[in-house]
């Protein structure tokens, strides 16, 4: 099958899902053509060694990547809109020829690619499309940015017109249906992680030294320290159980300076900050810590989000403490892969920290193993691409029946 892939970000940017999907589909014998931009994320500047130009393609066996120029700065709402508009125009112009003759189009849907997806659908009339929704930014958020109201309107039209819609979390079905998608055309495809890196390993001596714990239970959070996570709740919870739990925050984000200030002002000694680490280093740290913390704010749109930290922890066979509502907590509970509590409730999280420290090593290992089994069954690269491949065959077959 000849498959087109439209994505705003693609490796070497941190865009693991579209990159691994394209590689796996090509490895299965499909001809895959990826239409994307030049790498500029994170940072909002074109990566060193790259130069934007109109005609740029890379080819390997069965996989071709076409990059088109766009306004690359994303440091402000207006700059982000300019990037989306220029990418939409370039994708439509290049895609008309580059994607001619494909059997199906896979759209890695995010707010940034919405305008390009609509433009490309007009440039390729009759080509069936699978809309793979990774992030359904609520209309209220979009309306707060220049062009947001128009982008939200375009997204609703895309959802109505898509041949099939893949969602990355069970509760996202309701969100896309409310936004206009036909419920009979919505399928679940849980996100996967880089299984070459994130897998069960024995921790190195260096990881053990860094994680430490001094005999206390170590709960580690990796990833963004921002408004979506609201990690002040975790800091307060750790401060309530200083003799039983260490909280290790690995990463950075807009909320980090404030949290560091709170830790200093309150004199909290069992909360530590660690600079961001590479994926390979994170896998080592996962093995050294006792639990992984998955935290999300109590917002309706976040109840249908599976944060990347969850499949990563499951794949590493690491037990999880989920301070979240909706799908993340449900997945941990159903897999019996850890503990959960309501989001933004520091007292409830402190209770889970206390209980986590009381659970023995053998029981913690069992939690991790059950999470690993759930990942391999429902969330692995193979399981996810199997589902997407079937959906692409289905949408391609619909065109032949028209």
């Amino acid at each position: 099958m000849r498959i087109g892939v439209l994505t705003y970000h693609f490796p070497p940017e941190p865009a693991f899902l579209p990159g691994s999907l394209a590689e796996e589909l090509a490895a299965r014998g499909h001809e895959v053509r990826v239409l994307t931009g030049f790498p500029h994320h994170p940072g909002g500047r074109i990566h060193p060694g790259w130069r934007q130009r109109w005609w740029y393609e890379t080819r390997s066996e069965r996989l071709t990547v076409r990059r088109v120029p766009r306004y690359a700065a994303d440091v402000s709402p207006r700059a982000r809109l300019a990037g989306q508009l220029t990418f939409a125009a370039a994708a439509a112009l290049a895609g008309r020829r580059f994607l001619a003759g494909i059997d199906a189009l896979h759209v890695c849907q995010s707010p940034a690619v919405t305008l390009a997806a609509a433009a490309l659908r007009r440039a390729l009339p009759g080509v069936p499309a699978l809309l793979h929704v990774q992030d359904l930014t609520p209309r209220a958020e979009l309306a707060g940015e220049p062009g947001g109201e128009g982008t939200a309107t375009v997204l609703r039209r895309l959802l109505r017109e898509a041949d099939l819609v893949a969602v990355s979390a069970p509760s996202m079905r309701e969100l896309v249906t409310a936004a206009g998608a036909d419920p009979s055309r919505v399928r679940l495809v849980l996100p996967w992680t880089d299984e070459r890196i994130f897998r069960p390993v024995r921790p190195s001596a260096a990881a053990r030294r860094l994680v430490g714990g001094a005999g206390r239970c170590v709960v580690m959070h990796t990833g963004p320290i921002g408004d979506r996570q609201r990690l002040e709740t975790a800091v307060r919870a750790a401060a309530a159980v200083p003799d039983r739990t260490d909280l290790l925050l690995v990463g950075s984000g807009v909320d980090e300076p404030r949290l560091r200030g709170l830790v200093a002002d309150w004199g909290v000694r069992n909360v530590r900050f660690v600079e961001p680490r590479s994926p390979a280093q994170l896998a080592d740290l996962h093995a050294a810590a006792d639990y992984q913390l998955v935290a999300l704010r109590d917002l309706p749109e976040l109840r249908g989000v599976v944060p990347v930290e969850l499949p990563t922890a499951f794949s590493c066979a690491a037990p999880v403490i989920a301070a979240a509502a909706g799908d993340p907590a449900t997945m941990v509970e159903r897999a019996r892969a850890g503990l959960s509590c309501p989001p933004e409730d520091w007292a409830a999280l402190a209770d889970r920290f206390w209980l986590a420290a009381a659970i023995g090593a053998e029981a913690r290992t069992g939690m991790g193993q059950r999470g690993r089994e759930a990942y391999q069954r429902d969330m692995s690269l193979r399981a996810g691409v199997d589902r997407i491949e079937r959906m692409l065959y289905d949408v391609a077959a619909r065109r032949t029946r028209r």
Side-chain angles (χ1 to χ4, degrees), residues 127-164:
V127 174
L130 164 60
L131 202 64
H132 191 171
V133 181
Q134 302 299 307
D135 183 7
L136 193 71
T137 301
R139 184 178 179 182
E141 281 189 28
L142 281 173
E145 295 210 353
E149 189 72 23
T151 302
T153 300
V154 172
L155 176 57
R156 290 194 294 272
R157 187 172 72 245
L158 285 173
L159 289 168
R160 288 195 303 270
E161 296 176 354
D163 295 88
L164 285 176

Side-chain angles (χ1 to χ4, degrees), residues 88-151:
L93 286 172
R96 189 186 302 272
R97 180 174 178 181
F98 176 65
L99 297 177
I102 61 172
D103 299 306
L105 175 66
H106 178 277
V107 178
C108 293
Q109 174 61 40
S110 66
V113 85
T114 299
L115 301 178
L120 196 58
R121 290 300 305 274
R122 289 195 297 271
L124 298 171
V127 174
L130 164 60
L131 202 64
H132 191 171
V133 181
Q134 302 299 307
D135 183 7
L136 193 71
T137 301
R139 184 178 179 182
E141 281 189 28
L142 281 173
E145 295 210 353
E149 189 72 23
T151 302

Side-chain angles (χ1 to χ4, degrees), residues 15 18 29 76 87 183 186 267 275 381:
S76 71
F87 180 64
V186 180
E275 296 298 320
L381 171 65

Side-chain angles (χ1 to χ4, degrees), residues 100-279:
I102 61 172
D103 299 306
L105 175 66
H106 178 277
V107 178
C108 293
Q109 174 61 40
S110 66
V113 85
T114 299
L115 301 178
L120 196 58
R121 290 300 305 274
R122 289 195 297 271
L124 298 171
V127 174
L130 164 60
L131 202 64
H132 191 171
V133 181
Q134 302 299 307
D135 183 7
L136 193 71
T137 301
R139 184 178 179 182
E141 281 189 28
L142 281 173
E145 295 210 353
E149 189 72 23
T151 302
T153 300
V154 172
L155 176 57
R156 290 194 294 272
R157 187 172 72 245
L158 285 173
L159 289 168
R160 288 195 303 270
E161 296 176 354
D163 295 88
L164 285 176
V165 177
V167 294
S168 59
S171 296
M172 198 179 284
R173 291 175 183 268
E174 300 172 8
L175 295 175
V176 300
T177 300
D182 182 343
S184 67
R185 297 183 180 182
V186 180
R187 307 282 189 275
L188 175 65
V189 181
L190 292 171
W192 56 85
T193 190
D194 191 340
E195 297 159 13
R196 298 166 297 184
I197 296 174
F198 295 109
R199 53 190 174 81
V201 297
R202 295 182 64 86
S204 67
R208 290 187 183 278
R209 286 193 299 270
L210 179 61
V211 169
R216 295 186 293 270
C217 176
V218 178
V219 179
M220 184 171 76
H221 177 275
T222 63
I225 302 176
D227 188 56
R228 279 190 166 194
Q229 291 74 35
R230 191 61 64 84
L231 290 174
E232 178 181 335
T233 301
V235 171
R236 290 179 178 273
V241 286
D243 297 328
R244 299 183 68 86
T245 302
D246 267 14
L247 177 63
L248 192 65
L249 302 178
V250 183
S252 62
V254 295
D255 209 27
E256 181 186 352
R258 188 179 70 86
L259 290 185
R260 285 183 179 270
L262 290 178
V263 169
D265 292 344
W266 297 342
V268 180
R269 298 183 180 277
N270 62 327
V271 175
R272 291 176 288 134
F273 294 84
V274 175
E275 296 298 320
R277 291 295 194 268
S278 70

Side-chain angles (χ1 to χ4, degrees), residues 8 40 43-45 71-84 144-147:
Y8 199 68
H40 77 287
R45 293 184 178 182
Y71 185 72
D74 58 3
V75 293
S76 71
R78 291 189 181 278
R80 285 192 290 271
L81 177 60
Q84 294 165 24
E145 295 210 353

